[in-house]
Amino acid sequence: MSKLIFEISRKDRRAFELLSTRIEQKKAEELFPERYLRKEPARLPEVSELDVVRHFTELSTRNFGVDSGFYPLGSCTMKYNPKINEKVASYSGFANIHPYQPESTVQGALRLMYELSGSLAEITGMDKISLQPSAGAQGEMAGLMVIKKYHEKMGEYQRNKIICPDSAHGTNPASAAISGFDILQVKSNERGMVDVDELKRLVGSDTAGLMLTNPNTLGLFEEDIVEIASIIHKAGGLLYYDGANANAILGKSRPGDMGFDVVHLNLHKTFTTPHGGGGPGAGPIGVKEFLYPFVSVPVIEEKDGTYYLDYNRPDSIGKVKAFYGNFLILVRAYAYILSMGAEGLADVSSNAVLNANYMLSRLKDVYDVPFGERCMHEFVISGEKQKKMGASTISIAKRLLDYGYHPPTIYFPLVVKEAMMIEPTEAESMETLDEFIAVLRKINDEIEDNPEEVNHSPHTTVVGRLDEVKAARTPVVKYSFENNDQ
Amino acid sequence: MHKYIPNTSEEIKEMIDRIGVASVDELFSTIPDEIRFKGKLNLPKKMTEQELDKYMRELAAMNSSTDDLICFLGAGAYDHYIPSVVNALTSRSEFYTAYTPYQAEISQGVLQAIFEFQTMVSEITGMDAANASMYDGSSSTAEACSIALVNAHKRNRILVSEGLHPETRKVIHTYMSGRDAVIVEIPLKDGETDYDELALLCDDATAAVCIQSPNFFGIVEDMDKAGEIAHANNAAFIVNTDLIALGILKPPSESGADFVVGEAQGLGNPLSFGGPHLGFFATTNKYLRKMPGRIVGETNDAEGRRGYVLTLQAREQHIRREKATSNICSNHALNALAATIYMSVLGKKGLQELALRCANNARYASEKLVETGKFHLKYNKPFFKEFLLEAEEDPSEINKRLLESGILGGYETKRCYPGLQKGWLVAVTERRTKAEIDDLAKKAGGKS
Amino acid sequence: MANAERRYSKDHEWVRVEGNEAYIGITEFAQDQLGDIVYVELPEVSSSVEKDEVVCAVESVKTAADIISPVSGTVIAINEELADQPEMINEDPYSAWIMQIELSDPTELGELMNAAEYATYCENEE
């Protein structure tokens, strides 16, 4: 068991030092009215610098990242995060600049953002990019608000329905709802794609738009996309592209050419910025020219070689975050684009799709494949057969931990029972894929022989399966100092 | 072959044979021909790592950083010193190359660190619970407004003080534009929220009252009064604050806060041209199961070993979908880790010492600047690490002159407050020395 | 098993009527689908509810289910024991009532299923 930092605290130990100063130091009571003051200090730990280093180093050893091993978490694109990206993002000229500095002192930063916007527009086939959203979900909200604002500008206030497939990421309907839309769900057909006939029935004068991931969350390219776009556009709606799966289409097909009006990209997926244990990411959006007046302020413009922030945009949705975007993430993404080039990016998608299909071809005789023989950059298999033998998908995932792998995304998409969504990415070698395939096949054998062994996994991790019911019934979300007073 | 793509041509051949296709291109045949991208993307030429490094250095060199400039600019982003241990530890790639800790057994490191972060934020704010982080202070404030609104049956007014950061107010407006909400901005009176006006406007249609303290002008507001007015009308009380200030200032919980939110960039995270920063979000047990974002809880395994998991997930978008109050999925976990390490370095005494140093430095700087005779303090109210001066000269001119001397001057309030054309908002952190402050006063006071 | 004295909704709630008042809970089928219940969000006493309106929710670790009122009326009592012991629903869903409603339109009860009808309904759901 790893101690909490509060449990290694010793009175009067310290890791903090201030500059010495010749400025007269008044006490808090002399600076503020008594009733404004804190009576008891916050119980932060009292530790030495080495205590801090040992503590967090130990925690890092209890964590698994892409650098630790294969991480085929579907829909998350856990590919290698190049070290050069980290290096350039740490340059003081990027990390230590204030958002309100005069524009003349941040020309390099503005230029980088401007150039990145150009590259992202080209990759997605959109006209303009807004770099502001902090993450994919915030990008969705920003993009949907752009759609809303556009319809309002056109006087079509009745367009209040957003259509989402039943296979959509949870953020899609959630973002649409918080942006003020009602949600209509369109079913997947027997091929795992949007049911076009049902879509035709759902559209109308109240249609604001359709949100679609393409390839979708089953790893399938929506083959009817051109017709879908036409149905939505004819009904007066707009198309929103969830870029979570953009790793499949770089240089192969562009959302703008497919008919989408708004896209968001997850730079922490497709463009190799690290996931950070849950963030920060960045979720820039791209729009067609006619929607550009509505994106959040400011946008970055260039005139005669000088870059500036343009706030004068009366139709804008406003701001979705303070300042301009997750800049240091943007730096990393641009570094990646520059290190790949156009051909390199097309190779990314070629190899991502090749790797996924190879894995699928070598697993389909053992695990059920609900949709199709082929896939794009990821695929979904079902553990239904294994469940019948006595071990469900959660146990397969936990057993993978014993073999040193991060499991796939499980129980998503919701349209597949016992789903396992596997995304190998282009960064992994054939040997890695072969080893993982062998393990998944072996786990199937283990379930045939003795499902209980699999059901009790993991056996090798620092803790076993944790009691999530207890955690949620009687939540303990902070350390209790009372039990161990300093 | 690219160094980030390991497949050799021999392996590619083997793989396509196994799949049963003639070429890799055939795998893309499900994309209708009319929307296949046929050309080559018009992107900058591929760079080798050395070329890239050089180009990025060139771009970085076009910016003047706070290593080059003496920074007196704040207004929501602060130049605090970051001890070396912070980056040394957040650079461990087991942390930064991991995703959200869905698989608890192999994510105990980040889960425990978040649990420690939640504990520290709860402890400093005095609240019952805190979440694993939000994108930034502006979105965490907007999310608090959302929850207050959703849980205040049929009340739809949100009263927001003009002392709240202008960008945060803009973000609240955007976030609320999709909801049935009316946002009313409460003016300031002598640099502090006009409490008479607040009391007048706060009524039984008010879902929440949102106050920032220290406010945008650095002034410590009368939170007890604000809390009383909110609660007298059964409205939720949202406090946006600075965790460093709470080293010496009373925790908002003691003024009856229902939500304590804000920006925590200053705790171990660089200015980063505005992002990624770090939002925090704390609340009472009443709203625990309504909080947005990830929450880590303590539990145990079958052998009784202590461990940590993501918990109370039934609140979240991946389960509630369109019924979720928030759409947040990823957060700013790595920034929260940096803040956790930073707060561990600070410790119980360090947080107080840091807060007091900032306050004393700001006090000293205000006195020196006023002594020049070219400025007066706009408001006579207690302030923390930032204060508003009214200048004789146009602050733009002052800032230009300072920049020539390598000083990054204060925020020009005319950018967002039309009534404060000559307002100059100066921030002074613990990094500033007496000599730097004296120099600022000398140069800001006039041409020498 | 489903009991003859109770009526059942398509949303898997049961209703037990006593005079002009009704106790409402979730069925065995519903608790089984949800799994371990970790939290019951209870409605406010004296709030009025409409038939088919979402009045509260039941949460398990991985799901959240809205409780949709099968009848209209006023909430006159809630089962406060569930706040600390949500597992009571798993253990005995037909004893663990969630709320008691004073009916405003008893004719609505006619639209609910009896035990046999509900059993058939559940078979088709699986």
Side-chain angles (χ1 to χ4, degrees):
Chain A
M1 184 178 93
S2 185
K3 282 186 172 171
L4 288 160
I5 189 107
F6 310 102
E7 293 165 336
I8 60 172
S9 175
R10 291 293 173 274
K11 190 170 182 301
D12 293 338
R13 208 169 267 168
R14 60 187 296 140
F16 181 65
E17 56 182 5
L18 276 171
L19 280 174
S20 59
T21 185
R22 291 184 292 119
I23 294 171
E24 188 205 346
Q25 296 297 298
K26 291 186 175 165
K27 290 185 183 143
E29 304 82 73
E30 300 171 70
L31 297 169
F32 300 98
E34 181 71 31
R35 65 197 180 91
Y36 283 6
L37 294 177
R38 182 170 201 121
K39 290 178 204 84
E40 292 295 323
R43 289 166 289 185
L44 296 183
E46 295 178 277
V47 288
S48 71
E49 183 165 318
L50 180 58
D51 288 337
V52 175
V53 171
R54 290 245 170 92
H55 177 72
F56 289 98
T57 301
E58 205 240 325
L59 289 188
S60 75
T61 66
R62 295 157 70 88
N63 222 47
F64 187 97
V66 174
D67 285 6
S68 316
F70 189 41
Y71 210 128
L73 190 65
S75 225
C76 298
T77 316
M78 299 302 289
K79 56 182 176 178
Y80 173 58
N81 308 136
K83 298 304 165 193
I84 183 67
N85 298 359
E86 298 307 305
K87 182 183 174 190
V88 300
S90 74
Y91 290 156
S92 187
F94 293 140
N96 300 317
I97 50 178
H98 193 288
Y100 287 146
Q101 277 183 223
E103 285 169 3
S104 64
T105 66
V106 290
Q107 282 296 300
L110 293 173
R111 176 167 151 188
L112 186 148
M113 292 167 82
Y114 188 83
E115 289 182 3
L116 171 63
S117 300
S119 292
L120 296 178
E122 172 68 10
I123 291 166
T124 54
M126 306 306 281
D127 297 314
K128 295 286 185 182
I129 299 288
S130 163
L131 295 171
Q132 193 171 99
S134 310
Q138 204 178 45
E140 289 177 17
M141 186 189 83
L144 288 160
M145 285 183 170
V146 164
I147 290 174
K148 189 164 188 246
K149 199 97 191 198
Y150 166 77
H151 287 311
E152 287 172 5
K153 184 83 180 172
M154 296 290 117
E156 300 210 274
Y157 291 90
Q158 84 288 359
R159 294 198 178 272
N160 65 350
K161 300 269 191 301
I162 287 286
I163 304 170
C164 296
D166 53 6
S167 60
H169 296 117
T171 49
N172 290 184
S175 300
I178 68 167
S179 304
F181 292 108
D182 294 336
I183 289 83
L184 293 176
Q185 188 166 290
V186 58
K187 283 198 190 72
S188 304
N189 62 22
E190 69 293 344
R191 293 180 300 146
M193 297 178 202
V194 169
D195 186 323
V196 172
D197 292 327
E198 196 190 332
L199 183 66
K200 282 180 187 158
R201 285 193 294 275
L202 289 175
V203 296
S205 60
D206 60 355
T207 302
L210 167 77
M211 294 183 90
L212 204 60
T213 311
N214 194 17
N216 64 24
T217 59
L218 292 161
L220 305 171
F221 195 88
E222 293 281 353
E223 294 177 27
D224 301 320
I225 182 61
V226 176
E227 189 184 354
I228 290 169
S230 156
I231 292 166
I232 296 294
H233 283 152
K234 272 188 189 144
L238 299 178
L239 270 86
Y240 182 98
Y241 182 87
D242 175 337
N245 290 343
N247 210 44
I249 56 152
L250 303 170
K252 307 291 181 187
S253 186
R254 308 192 304 172
D257 300 335
M258 296 175 205
F260 287 91
D261 303 290
V262 186
V263 321
H264 86 257
L265 292 168
N266 302 80
L267 298 187
H268 45 290
K269 294 179 180 176
T270 317
F271 296 93
T272 70
T273 77
H275 286 71
I285 62 169
V287 296
K288 291 282 173 65
E289 192 74 50
F290 72 99
L291 293 175
Y292 192 47
F294 305 100
V295 303
S296 54
V297 282
V299 296
I300 297 140
E301 300 289 1
E302 180 260 354
K303 196 178 177 210
D304 304 328
T306 300
Y307 301 88
Y308 65 98
L309 296 164
D310 181 6
Y311 285 90
N312 184 18
R313 304 178 62 78
D315 287 330
S316 163
I317 60 165
K319 290 187 76 72
V320 295
K321 82 176 280 301
F323 314 120
Y324 326 117
N326 279 347
F327 175 69
L328 294 184
I329 305 301
L330 306 178
V331 171
R332 291 173 171 93
Y334 193 46
Y336 177 67
I337 291 170
L338 291 177
S339 59
M340 298 313 291
E343 282 165 353
L345 287 179
D347 281 347
V348 163
S349 292
S350 293
N351 285 280
V353 171
L354 175 68
N355 282 357
N357 276 285
Y358 175 69
M359 292 184 79
L360 176 58
S361 73
R362 293 202 51 203
L363 287 168
K364 64 184 178 190
D365 58 323
V366 178
Y367 290 91
D368 287 339
V369 180
F371 294 105
E373 291 280 287
R374 295 279 156 69
C375 63
M376 295 298 282
H377 69 303
E378 67 186 2
F379 59 96
V380 178
I381 56 177
S382 166
E384 279 235 85
K385 208 155 67 185
Q386 287 71 25
K387 188 181 183 183
K388 282 180 194 134
M389 293 193 285
S392 56
T393 288
I394 182 76
S395 292
I396 297 171
K398 296 303 179 193
R399 185 66 178 141
L400 281 167
L401 301 177
D402 285 333
Y403 289 100
Y405 294 106
H406 194 288
T409 295
I410 52 175
Y411 298 104
F412 185 84
L414 308 176
V415 294
V416 174
K417 285 187 180 155
E418 299 295 312
M420 281 177 271
M421 183 198 241
I422 301 177
E423 180 179 10
T425 85
E426 77 286 356
E428 302 295 339
S429 68
M430 190 175 163
E431 303 96 273
T432 302
L433 306 185
D434 283 338
E435 286 161 14
F436 182 79
I437 289 161
V439 166
L440 263 186
R441 297 179 71 94
K442 188 169 173 212
I443 292 173
N444 177 64
D445 294 344
E446 289 174 353
I447 295 169
E448 275 181 357
D449 293 347
N450 181 8
E452 275 318 293
E453 181 73 4
V454 177
N455 284 331
H456 285 103
S457 58
H459 304 280
T460 60
T461 47
V462 292
V463 287
R465 282 194 216 187
L466 291 160
D467 187 344
E468 295 190 55
V469 173
K470 178 184 167 189
R473 265 186 197 158
T474 48
V476 176
V477 297
K478 64 178 182 184
Y479 175 64
S480 173
F481 291 94
E482 287 67 31
N483 297 344
N484 185 9
D485 219 347
Q486 292 175 52
Chain B
M1 287 306 303
H2 193 284
K3 65 175 177 170
Y4 301 154
I5 307 176
N7 286 335
T8 64
S9 39
E10 204 169 305
E11 286 167 337
I12 291 172
K13 176 78 176 59
E14 205 182 321
M15 289 162 88
I16 59 173
D17 286 350
R18 173 75 203 208
I19 298 164
V21 288
S23 68
V24 174
D25 209 45
E26 199 180 320
L27 297 171
F28 291 87
S29 61
T30 52
I31 303 179
D33 189 61
E34 57 191 300
I35 54 165
R36 264 304 289 273
F37 184 75
K38 307 256 170 43
K40 185 179 145 189
L41 292 169
N42 182 19
L43 294 175
K45 192 171 162 290
K46 176 198 176 317
M47 293 183 187
T48 62
E49 181 170 328
Q50 277 195 54
E51 290 165 324
L52 174 66
D53 195 9
K54 181 165 175 287
Y55 182 60
M56 286 294 178
R57 276 183 195 281
E58 283 165 12
L59 288 179
M62 289 176 207
N63 307 318
S64 306
S65 77
T66 52
D67 285 344
D68 312 316
L69 302 170
I70 309 296
C71 181
F72 289 97
L73 183 56
Y78 298 95
D79 181 31
H80 290 285
Y81 183 74
I82 302 173
S84 315
V85 288
V86 175
N87 291 338
L89 293 166
T90 56
S91 301
R92 292 194 64 92
S93 68
E94 296 89 342
F95 285 134
Y96 80 78
T97 70
Y99 196 38
T100 302
Y102 294 126
Q103 297 293 337
E105 297 88 340
I106 55 167
S107 311
Q108 285 300 299
V110 76
L111 286 162
Q112 184 176 325
I114 292 171
F115 185 79
E116 291 174 356
F117 174 77
Q118 291 173 180
T119 304
M120 291 176 186
V121 173
S122 303
E123 185 63 20
I124 295 172
T125 58
M127 303 301 280
D128 295 328
N131 76 6
S133 78
M134 312 289 290
Y135 308 133
D136 69 355
S138 69
S139 66
S140 65
T141 312
E143 294 270 13
C145 292
S146 296
I147 298 172
L149 191 70
V150 169
N151 290 288
H153 309 283
K154 285 157 194 149
R155 292 171 172 234
N156 70 343
R157 280 152 62 91
I158 297 173
L159 309 188
V160 176
S161 165
E162 277 183 15
L164 209 68
H165 195 297
E167 302 228 18
T168 305
R169 276 183 280 143
K170 284 197 178 113
V171 171
I172 292 173
H173 277 279
T174 307
Y175 268 70
M176 292 301 112
S177 69
R179 297 182 187 272
D180 175 24
V182 179
I183 297 164
V184 181
E185 298 208 349
I186 308 296
L188 298 179
K189 188 177 166 191
D190 202 17
E192 194 178 21
T193 307
D194 185 338
Y195 290 110
D196 295 335
E197 188 74 7
L198 179 68
L200 206 66
L201 289 168
C202 197
D203 59 13
D204 60 5
T206 304
V209 171
C210 184
I211 309 281
Q212 179 177 332
S213 177
N215 69 20
F216 185 65
F217 300 127
I219 288 168
V220 181
E221 296 242 358
D222 190 341
M223 302 310 280
D224 290 346
K225 204 182 268 179
E228 275 166 28
I229 296 169
H231 289 151
N233 293 284
N234 285 322
F237 182 32
I238 303 171
V239 177
N240 177 306
T241 190
D242 173 357
L243 294 177
I244 293 176
L246 298 184
I248 49 175
L249 298 178
K250 187 164 75 174
S253 58
E254 293 179 20
S255 304
D258 295 290
F259 300 96
V260 183
V261 294
E263 177 57 59
Q265 167 268 326
L267 298 166
N269 287 284
L271 290 164
S272 337
F273 200 42
H277 285 179
L278 172 63
F280 66 90
F281 191 109
T283 187
T284 60
N285 281 333
K286 181 183 169 193
Y287 293 102
L288 173 62
R289 290 176 191 268
K290 313 282 183 192
M291 261 204 286
R294 311 288 190 206
I295 299 171
V296 171
E298 186 178 290
T299 183
N300 51 260
D301 68 8
E303 289 173 39
R305 288 178 292 193
R306 182 171 75 181
Y308 300 90
V309 293
L310 292 176
T311 192
L312 308 182
Q313 296 190 63
R315 304 163 288 115
E316 292 188 66
Q317 46 77 26
H318 61 281
I319 290 174
R320 276 238 157 90
R321 297 174 80 86
E322 66 268 25
K323 289 175 189 153
T325 309
S326 169
N327 71 338
I328 191 169
C329 183
S330 69
N331 53 28
H332 281 193
L334 197 66
N335 304 95
L337 175 67
T340 310
I341 297 164
Y342 182 79
M343 289 189 277
S344 302
V345 168
L346 281 181
K348 192 179 191 171
K349 295 206 176 74
L351 180 66
Q352 284 176 296
E353 290 165 4
L354 173 65
L356 205 51
R357 177 61 63 85
C358 291
N360 273 297
N361 280 2
R363 167 64 50 139
Y364 177 74
S366 74
E367 286 165 2
K368 293 301 281 187
L369 284 158
V370 170
E371 266 174 36
T372 65
K374 304 291 173 66
F375 303 95
H376 67 270
L377 258 181
K378 178 72 184 164
Y379 306 120
N380 182 28
K381 289 273 164 69
F383 56 83
F384 178 54
K385 66 184 175 194
E386 209 160 11
F387 53 92
L388 183 65
L389 295 173
E390 196 151 52
E392 274 185 8
E393 205 183 345
D394 179 357
S396 307
E397 293 304 317
I398 301 171
N399 279 338
K400 258 183 227 160
R401 189 165 66 241
L402 290 174
L403 193 59
E404 283 165 17
S405 305
I407 298 172
L408 195 52
Y411 177 86
E412 298 160 25
T413 52
K414 64 184 170 194
R415 288 176 67 150
C416 284
Y417 293 84
L420 293 169
Q421 286 298 311
K422 293 210 161 173
W424 197 48
L425 184 65
V426 177
V428 194
T429 68
E430 83 290 355
R431 287 196 70 177
R432 300 284 74 89
T433 64
K434 181 168 183 293
E436 288 168 347
I437 295 169
D438 291 345
D439 194 41
L440 168 77
K442 196 171 135 206
K443 301 226 163 72
K447 285 167 198 163
S448 52
Chain C
M1 231 350 266
N3 181 297
E5 292 166 20
R6 282 185 288 264
R7 312 286 296 178
Y8 303 87
S9 78
K10 288 182 177 173
D11 302 306
H12 303 284
E13 281 109 16
W14 56 259
V15 181
R16 194 180 76 229
V17 182
E18 289 182 6
N20 196 35
E21 289 155 13
Y23 288 91
I24 290 163
I26 65 169
T27 66
E28 170 65 25
F29 180 89
Q31 79 77 22
D32 185 60
Q33 292 280 308
L34 279 163
D36 289 320
I37 290 165
V38 298
Y39 179 64
V40 182
E41 180 197 77
L42 294 161
E44 278 178 36
V45 174
S46 76
S47 57
S48 62
V49 298
E50 295 288 316
K51 181 177 168 2
D52 295 333
E53 182 191 1
V54 174
V55 280
C56 60
V58 176
E59 296 178 0
S60 65
V61 172
K62 302 284 181 195
T63 51
D66 286 334
I67 302 300
I68 296 159
S69 184
V71 290
S72 306
T74 305
V75 178
I76 52 173
I78 53 175
N79 186 352
E80 293 190 16
E81 278 184 296
L82 294 175
D84 294 326
Q85 295 165 276
E87 61 272 24
M88 286 169 65
I89 293 180
N90 294 117
E91 287 156 8
D92 188 354
Y94 295 114
S95 300
W97 58 279
I98 294 172
M99 57 189 166
Q100 191 186 6
I101 289 181
E102 188 177 72
L103 302 172
S104 60
D105 181 5
T107 64
E108 286 169 351
L109 296 168
E111 297 164 40
L112 299 172
M113 291 175 271
N114 65 27
E117 288 163 346
Y118 180 65
T120 315
Y121 177 75
C122 288
E123 273 170 36
N124 295 333
E125 285 265 292
E126 273 182 300

